[in-house]
C-alpha cells in the first residue's frame, strides 16, 4: 500500500481457470484459462489513483479515495470467459481464480532492492466455485 501511495505503478494479475468437474480420480479437463490484469498508479501531484482493468478495455477509472481504489483493483467483474455454447447443460464446472502481485511492472531500479522484501511476494490462495449449468 505504501508503494502504491508513493506513486509506484503496481499491477495485479488474476489467473482464472474454468474446468469441467468430473470428480473421482480423473483430472478435470480445462475449458479455458485466462490472465486478467489490473494496474493502479497514484499521481502524487493530482492526489488521485488511476486504475486500468482488462475487463473494461483499459478504460481508466480515476478516484481520490484509496479505499475505493483498493475495492476496484481487487475485484474482477463482467469478464466473459466462454460462450454458453461451450458448456453442456446438466454438467458440473469449477471456476478457479487467484490473484498475484506482478513484479514485472516494478521499475528496474527498484527490483533489486525489493527482491529481498517478502511483501512483494503477495498472492492469494486459489478460490474455487463449483456450479451446474
Amino acid at each position: 500500500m505504501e508503494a502504491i501511495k508513493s506513486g509506484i505503478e503496481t499491477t495485479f494479475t488474476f489467473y482464472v481457470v474454468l474446468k469441467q468437474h468430473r470428480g473421482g480420480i480423473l483430472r478435470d479437463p480445462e475449458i479455458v484459462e485466462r490472465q486478467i490484469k489490473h494496474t493502479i498508479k497514484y499521481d502524487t501531484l493530482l492526489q488521485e489513483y488511476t486504475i486500468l482493468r482488462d475487463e473494461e478495455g483499459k478504460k481508466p477509472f480515476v478516484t481520490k479515495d484509496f479505499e475505493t481504489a483498493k475495492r476496484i483493483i481487487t475485484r474482477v467483474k463482467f469478464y466473459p470467459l466462454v460462450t454458453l455454447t461451450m458448456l453442456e447443460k446438466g454438467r458440473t464446472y469449477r471456476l478457479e481464480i487467484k490473484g498475484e502481485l506482478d513484479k514485472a511492472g516494478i521499475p528496474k531500479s527498484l527490483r533489486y532492492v525489493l527482491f529481498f522484501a517478502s511483501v512483494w511476494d503477495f498472492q492469494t490462495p486459489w478460490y474455487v466455485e463449483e456450479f451446474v449449468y
Side-chain angles (χ1 to χ4, degrees):
M1 290 190 296
E2 292 304 316
I4 292 170
K5 288 180 180 179
S6 71
I8 296 175
E9 184 174 292
T10 307
T11 299
F12 294 90
T13 302
F14 297 91
Y15 299 92
V16 183
V17 180
L18 180 64
K19 298 177 180 180
Q20 181 182 343
H21 183 59
R22 293 192 282 190
I25 59 172
L26 295 175
R27 183 180 167 134
D28 293 337
E30 191 175 287
I31 297 170
V32 68
E33 180 179 336
R34 298 275 191 269
Q35 291 183 17
I36 305 167
K37 294 191 181 281
H38 290 181
T39 301
I40 185 169
K41 172 89 170 142
Y42 181 64
D43 186 317
T44 55
L45 294 176
L46 297 175
Q47 297 183 340
E48 63 186 20
Y49 300 91
T50 301
I51 301 162
L52 301 173
R53 300 190 311 174
D54 281 354
E55 65 267 32
E56 293 174 345
K58 300 277 187 176
K59 181 180 131 191
F61 176 87
V62 180
T63 183
K64 290 186 177 284
D65 180 55
F66 186 61
E67 292 304 314
T68 300
K70 281 195 318 188
R71 188 175 64 252
I72 297 297
I73 198 150
T74 58
R75 292 193 178 142
V76 175
K77 294 172 73 173
F78 309 117
Y79 190 83
L81 289 175
V82 295
T83 61
L84 292 179
T85 57
M86 295 175 72
L87 305 179
E88 294 180 45
K89 287 192 183 253
R91 296 268 185 177
T92 303
Y93 296 91
R94 290 174 57 104
L95 180 66
E96 303 174 359
I97 186 169
K98 81 172 187 170
E100 183 175 289
L101 179 65
D102 188 350
K103 292 181 233 31
I106 299 169
K108 289 183 180 184
S109 59
L110 292 176
R111 285 186 197 166
Y112 179 76
V113 174
L114 298 175
F115 175 78
F116 299 101
S118 63
V119 295
W120 289 94
D121 290 332
F122 173 80
Q123 69 179 0
T124 67
W126 283 100
Y127 174 78
V128 178
E129 185 71 37
E130 286 188 13
F131 65 95
V132 176
Y133 173 66

